[in-house]
């Protein structure tokens, strides 16, 4: 058992050997939150399986919703077995990157495919001043083409490879005793942190591009809310970890054996993520667990343009003409003479 503040990550038997009342309450709360997130995902899976006829669209939504249970389960495993931190981070980053990439694919599916999306959105130039360059008004607008759409997808797709790759490098260095997770002084940590932040900014630009371009054409899809549900886990996993690691390395986290400052930082990071995934799962459930809508919107072409013609003026119905009497009426005098002679 570690008895000082310079020890390595703890084994599960060491972490649970001297657990106090506060730790038991925290572990029980985290376990309850994780169980609720798993039950919510199971209910969403049943709902989408029954209500959605399109299997590809259903799969994309389920992969996005799987972010929250995967993050919660991996963080709960980190709480119980701190030495598995890097393995859990590897699984977490894979699920997060794959789930984030499903959002541009879902938007493209809503628009009826890449070809129809380009045909529908090419009429209006798209603004490219997206985060983190949202303040650069000098960036010109561009007409949406297949090539531009492919580039924006690659900005999001790179996270599927970059995030697991650098987490794998950290795990290899930790196995070789050259890196300790949660220490900001390690050059491996600095390299991985910079790479993950750059990957996050690239993915952010691609996601904002897709939502900004398609949202005016399908407001009933609530794409901005769905973007928030995808971006918040990405921000919390990327930025929040760096903040907690910096604080624990500076000695802000209290070192009380058997937990070192680094171990307490990892425990705090995992517990906070579980609570956040618990809250975000309800928000995602409200936005993604909806009946399938009639997408895509009708495409407008030059030969079949929608023209607004004024309605024809309402005409009054012609009244039926009365029957015309054609019989000749005899003079009144002849009738009087006829009656006098009788």
């Amino acid at each position: 058992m570690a008895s000082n503040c310079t020890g390595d990550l703890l084994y599960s038997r060491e972490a649970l050997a001297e657990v106090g009342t506060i730790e038991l309450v925290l572990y029980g709360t985290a376990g309850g939150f994780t169980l609720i997130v798993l039950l919510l995902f199971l209910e969403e899976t049943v709902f989408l399986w029954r209500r959605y006829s399109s299997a590809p669209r259903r799969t994309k939504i389920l992969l996005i919703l799987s972010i929250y249970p995967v993050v919660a389960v991996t963080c709960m495993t980190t709480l119980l077995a701190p030495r598995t931190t890097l393995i859990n981070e590897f699984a977490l980053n894979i699920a997060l990157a794959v789930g984030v990439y499903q959002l541009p694919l879902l938007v493209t599916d809503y628009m009826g495919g890449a070809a129809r999306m380009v045909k529908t959105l090419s009429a209006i130039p798209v603004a490219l001043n997206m985060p983190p360059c949202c303040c650069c008004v000098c960036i010109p607008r561009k007409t949406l083409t297949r090539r531009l759409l492919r580039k924006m997808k690659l900005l999001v797709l790179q996270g599927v490879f970059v995030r697991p790759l650098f987490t794998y490098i950290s795990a290899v260095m930790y196995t070789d005793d050259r890196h300790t997770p949660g220490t900001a002084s390690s050059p491996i940590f600095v390299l991985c942190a910079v790479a993950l932040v750059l990957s996050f900014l690239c993915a952010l630009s691609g996601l904002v591009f897709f939502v900004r371009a398609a949202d005016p054409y399908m407001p009933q899809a609530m794409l901005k809310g769905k973007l928030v549900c995808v971006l918040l886990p990405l921000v919390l996993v990327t930025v929040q970890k760096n903040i907690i690691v910096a604080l624990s390395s500076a000695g802000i986290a209290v070192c009380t054996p058997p937990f070192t400052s680094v171990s307490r930082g990892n425990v705090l990071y995992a517990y906070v993520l579980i609570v956040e995934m618990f809250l975000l799962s309800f928000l995602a459930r409200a936005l993604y667990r909806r009946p399938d809508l009639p997408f895509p919107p009708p495409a407008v072409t030059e030969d079949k343009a929608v023209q607004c013609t004024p309605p024809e003026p309402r005409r009054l119905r012609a009244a039926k003409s009365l029957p015309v009497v054609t019989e000749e009426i005899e003079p009144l005098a002849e009738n009087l003479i006829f009656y006098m002679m009788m």
Side-chain angles (χ1 to χ4, degrees):
M1 183 182 301
S3 59
N4 52 40
C5 295
T6 60
D8 202 351
L9 295 179
L10 302 177
Y11 292 97
S12 59
R13 60 178 179 272
E14 296 174 343
L16 300 176
E18 297 183 7
V19 174
T21 306
I22 298 178
E23 285 80 5
L24 283 177
V25 172
L26 293 179
Y27 287 174
T29 306
F33 287 162
T34 303
L35 180 61
I36 293 175
V37 173
L38 288 173
L39 292 177
L40 286 177
F41 179 70
L42 179 61
E43 190 271 338
E44 292 159 355
T45 303
V46 174
F47 175 85
L48 294 174
W49 193 268
R50 292 179 176 178
R51 297 295 185 91
Y52 278 62
S53 58
S54 175
R57 184 175 299 181
R58 181 177 61 235
T59 304
K60 295 179 182 69
I61 296 177
L62 285 176
L63 286 175
I64 294 175
L65 293 174
S66 66
I67 293 175
Y68 312 103
V70 171
V71 174
V73 170
T74 53
C75 290
M76 190 64 204
T77 308
T78 301
L79 288 178
L80 299 176
R83 206 171 183 83
T84 62
T85 298
L86 286 174
I87 299 177
N88 295 322
E89 287 186 2
F90 184 73
L92 182 152
N93 281 302
I94 290 178
L96 183 60
V98 172
V100 168
Y101 181 61
Q102 300 307 308
L103 183 60
L105 299 182
L106 183 63
V107 173
T108 307
D109 186 19
Y110 281 161
M111 296 296 295
R116 183 162 185 158
M117 184 176 181
V118 171
K119 192 173 185 179
T120 304
L121 304 181
S122 60
I124 302 176
V126 182
L128 297 180
N129 53 340
M130 297 164 294
C133 303
C134 53
C135 299
C136 299
V137 295
C138 57
I139 300 178
R141 293 173 173 263
K142 283 191 176 182
T143 303
L144 184 64
T145 59
R146 291 292 294 268
R147 185 177 181 181
L148 180 60
L149 191 67
R150 194 178 302 113
K151 289 181 179 179
M152 291 301 165
K153 281 186 178 180
L154 289 177
L155 285 178
V156 187
L157 181 61
Q158 51 79 29
V160 178
F161 303 97
V162 172
R163 300 188 69 89
L165 174 62
F166 280 90
T167 308
Y168 175 76
I169 294 174
S170 299
V172 172
M173 292 300 175
Y174 172 70
T175 307
D176 198 33
D177 200 16
R178 297 185 181 183
H179 167 61
T180 301
T183 54
S185 59
S186 173
I188 301 299
F189 171 79
V190 176
L191 174 63
C192 294
V194 172
L196 292 180
V197 169
L198 292 177
S199 174
F200 161 72
L201 293 177
C202 292
L204 176 63
S205 300
L207 293 173
V208 172
F209 171 83
F210 274 91
V211 172
R212 181 186 293 178
D215 184 65
Y217 292 85
M218 48 179 69
Q220 69 274 27
M222 296 183 292
L223 294 179
K224 292 182 179 178
K226 293 178 179 178
L227 174 64
V228 171
C229 291
V230 171
L231 278 182
L232 282 180
L234 196 60
V235 172
L236 295 173
V237 170
T238 304
V239 179
Q240 186 173 252
K241 179 183 178 181
N242 296 333
I243 295 175
I244 293 179
V245 167
L247 293 177
S248 62
S249 298
I252 303 299
V254 180
C255 174
T256 55
F259 291 99
T260 64
S261 297
V262 174
S263 298
R264 283 211 174 272
N266 290 332
V267 168
L268 176 62
Y269 168 69
Y271 182 79
V272 170
L273 265 185
I274 290 175
V275 176
E276 291 164 346
M277 293 304 109
F278 170 73
L279 299 176
L280 287 176
S281 61
F282 285 96
L283 177 61
R285 182 177 185 273
L287 292 171
Y288 284 95
R289 186 190 174 281
R290 289 175 169 270
D292 201 4
L293 297 176
F295 296 119
V300 179
T301 57
E302 295 181 357
D303 53 343
K304 295 182 180 180
V306 178
Q307 299 179 356
C308 297
T309 56
E312 297 182 358
R314 191 174 180 179
R315 297 179 180 179
L316 298 176
R317 295 178 59 185
K320 294 182 179 181
S321 57
L322 297 175
V324 180
V325 180
T326 56
E327 296 180 0
E328 296 183 357
I329 301 177
E330 296 180 348
L332 180 60
E334 295 181 0
N335 291 335
L336 291 176
I337 295 172
F338 174 76
Y339 287 117
M340 290 175 63
M341 293 178 62
M342 290 181 63

